[in-house]
Amino acid sequence: MTILLLGSGGREHALAWKITQSALCQKLFVAPGNAGTSAIATNISISPTDFGEIKKLIIAEKINMVVVGPEDPLVLGIYDFFKEDDFLKNIPVIGPSKLGAKLEGSKEFAKEFLLKHRIPTAAYHSFTKENIEKGFHFLESLKPPYVLKADGLAAGKGVLILNDLNEAKFELSNMLLNEKFGIASSKVVIEEFLDGIELSCFVLTDGKNYKVLPTAKDYKRIGEGDTGLNTGGMAAVSPVPFATPELLEKIENRIIKPTIDGLREDKIEYKGFVFIGLIIVDNDPYVIEYNVRMGDPETEVVIPRLKTDLVALFQAVAEEKLNEITVEIDARAATTIMVVSGGYPEEYEKGKVISGIETITDSMVFHAGTKLENDKVVSNGGRVLTVTSFGTDYQEAIKKSYQNINKLHFDTMYFRKDIGFDL
Ligand code: AMP
Ligand code: GLY
């Protein structure tokens, strides 16, 4: 089978690494990919949201399956684009329909879905500029901290958590009246603050059946001790040490099953990954967000722990036969630690030559923001590389990642040195 994978981050390098291990995959294209994917697959310089160019590539290269890494093409409706095209309609797209992708593309849609299907989540109301006064009153009725969420996609930046009521009112105005996050914040969800610990679970569904993948926890803040600005994610650990079998059972019964049943009940076509962000309060799970794709860098720990052939899983998703496959998971712990450009998540420089990658033999190095320039790997993004290691427990895995990160070098390189401090 010839497969096309869309995206260019560490998530896509990890997916490409796993896909190319399958005997079912004869050829893999990655659009646009990075220096890491170019070493194991064929990079094609096409944007994941340029559906017209993607169609031309599918025809020219006789591609049999499309795997979608990031959310943008899904929210823009790549699944429906294929379904509605005479030539493309029989080529499976691993990812939800446009309606399914609204679970990530609209916080309000996700909240309505959660409520309708009685899935535990924080209480909320949503507001637009027309009823902003009601928004102010609602804030007054809540206890701090105040949680404000831009309804639409805001590259992970659309959530504000504020301690001061006046600041919360100011930011609500900023979002609704001044388009702080562009049209993404023309509607704002205000939500009850949940005080607990976070973890994420990952599910692969064919719309009828589902398989639960390993749990993971990421480290979102740039600074040690979880301080400073939010990033796409600075590290991840899988499994999450505090996810006991009792908690996992609650998550499956109260969250995962009703989510998959809800999709079917609402006739939402969904053949792909569901990433459920949870907060655990007094041992009970609450959904804080849905993402309609795998996480990055969570993929870089979840996928290496998957022993089952990923392409066989995707085929089963396409054929709605996921119930016929057994998923095997490596019992070892995996951790990944991200190496970023100095200055990220604010301004940073690109084009720095990276050395030492080839000296790492007992960890996996996944490229996030890299490209080849005169046959040299250079930095090409905020998040640059991530080092994934296995261990009998997360401490051992973290230690190995740190040992190997020390073999890497590029000008301005930064990484967090406290991963696991909270576990
Ligand atoms: P989200 O983009 O919805 O995942 O939110 C980003 C981050 O904000 C989450 O990872 C949580 O740390 C935090 N957060 C979101 N919603 C809540 C909530 N209701 N209570 C407490 N923290 C929250
Ligand atoms: N690491 C969080 C995300 O992928 O959204």
Side-chain angles (χ1 to χ4, degrees), residues 11 104 218 220 232-233 275 289 291 293-298 383:
R11 167 182 49 214
E104 177 165 359
D218 79 339
K220 287 205 174 70
F275 162 170
E289 66 167 345
N291 292 307
R293 50 171 174 86
M294 284 297 290
D296 191 356
E298 292 90 336
R383 296 193 292 174

Side-chain angles (χ1 to χ4, degrees), residues 241-260:
F242 56 80
T244 58
E246 295 75 31
L247 179 61
L248 292 175
E249 202 182 307
K250 282 187 196 172
I251 293 172
E252 182 155 6
N253 289 328
R254 297 181 194 176
I255 314 258
I256 296 173
K257 276 198 188 114
T259 297
I260 305 303

Side-chain angles (χ1 to χ4, degrees), residues 315-355:
Q315 244 177 352
V317 165
E319 292 165 7
E320 299 180 8
K321 288 182 180 164
L322 211 41
N323 55 320
E324 292 176 13
I325 290 204
T326 311
V327 170
E328 265 191 276
I329 303 298
D330 194 319
R332 291 176 296 172
T335 63
T336 199
I337 299 173
M338 195 61 86
V339 179
V340 307
S341 304
Y344 172 79
E346 295 183 284
E347 289 209 353
Y348 57 84
E349 290 173 22
K350 296 182 186 177
K352 308 289 184 194
V353 176
I354 303 164
S355 63

Side-chain angles (χ1 to χ4, degrees), residues 47-56 72-74 76-78 81:
S47 159
T49 55
D50 190 341
F51 299 168
E53 284 301 311
I54 291 171
K55 178 175 174 178
K56 283 189 209 156
D72 299 24
L74 296 166
L76 290 171
I78 191 164
F81 177 82

Side-chain angles (χ1 to χ4, degrees), residues 78-129:
I78 191 164
Y79 181 95
D80 308 60
F81 177 82
F82 272 62
K83 269 273 142 91
E84 289 156 13
D85 185 286
D86 277 341
F87 191 83
L88 301 177
K89 67 182 175 208
N90 294 319
I91 295 165
V93 173
I94 305 303
S97 63
K98 189 171 185 174
L99 186 58
K102 271 184 96 174
L103 285 178
E104 177 165 359
S106 164
K107 299 268 185 205
E108 187 185 45
F109 180 84
K111 289 302 253 186
E112 284 168 355
F113 178 88
L114 288 161
L115 227 61
K116 176 173 179 201
H117 299 290
R118 300 171 194 273
I119 301 167
T121 188
Y124 82 104
H125 276 289
S126 57
F127 302 94
T128 60
K129 66 171 186 262

Side-chain angles (χ1 to χ4, degrees), residues 107 149 159 161 191-194 198 220 288-289:
K107 299 268 185 205
K149 299 187 172 185
V159 177
I161 299 183
E191 193 169 281
E192 164 200 16
F193 179 81
L194 296 174
E198 282 182 51
K220 287 205 174 70
I288 47 167
E289 66 167 345

